[in-house]
Amino acid sequence: MKKLIMTLAIFLVVGAIFLNVKVRALEGEMNLDDISTANFKAKMGYLKLTSIKKLCSYDYCDYVRGDTFDETAEIFTRNYLKTIQDDEVRAGLRIKGIKITKLIFEE
């Protein structure tokens, strides 16, 4: 009986260590599917804004600036649109919002 309890305890400790490592890896960044600057506050409002370090859209990342989700999305949009040359594409992105593909968190 003691061997069974010790074996079970060892498995629980090892499982907790692996779970903790996996959770820490997820804390570093979060990949997103259906988030844009237009719905950023509605979908991600449960997070602390101060815990987010960068917003990324495909190959463009920018540090979070601003005190609110709306202000952060506006600043990100402004900075991202500076990288786009085509006026029509820029106008469309202003209306639809820019897809946010990844959040990078403070460590």
Side-chain angles (χ1 to χ4, degrees):
M1 188 68 171
K2 287 183 181 180
K3 288 182 183 179
L4 179 65
I5 292 173
M6 287 300 290
T7 305
L8 186 60
I10 290 172
F11 280 119
L12 288 174
V13 169
V14 170
I17 290 171
F18 283 118
L19 181 64
N20 191 19
V21 168
K22 189 173 184 176
V23 168
R24 287 188 186 271
L26 291 175
E27 287 178 352
E29 64 182 49
M30 178 189 294
N31 293 321
L32 305 170
D33 288 330
D34 61 342
I35 306 295
S36 70
T37 54
N39 64 4
F40 181 60
K41 180 181 178 181
K43 299 248 181 169
M44 302 308 292
Y46 64 91
L47 292 173
K48 288 185 198 174
L49 187 60
T50 56
S51 68
I52 303 171
K53 183 177 181 180
K54 288 184 179 182
L55 294 176
C56 298
S57 179
Y58 300 106
D59 60 341
Y60 177 81
C61 289
D62 193 18
Y63 285 98
V64 171
R65 298 178 186 105
D67 297 327
T68 64
F69 282 97
D70 293 329
E71 186 178 358
T72 299
E74 178 61 34
I75 292 169
F76 179 78
T77 300
R78 221 175 326 151
N79 291 337
Y80 182 80
L81 292 178
K82 288 178 185 176
T83 66
I84 305 296
Q85 301 298 323
D86 189 1
D87 290 334
E88 286 184 37
V89 173
R90 211 177 306 145
L93 287 173
R94 269 197 196 104
I95 294 168
K96 294 178 187 176
I98 299 165
K99 185 168 176 67
I100 298 173
T101 58
K102 184 177 13 175
L103 297 177
I104 299 174
F105 295 99
E106 297 284 344
E107 296 195 25

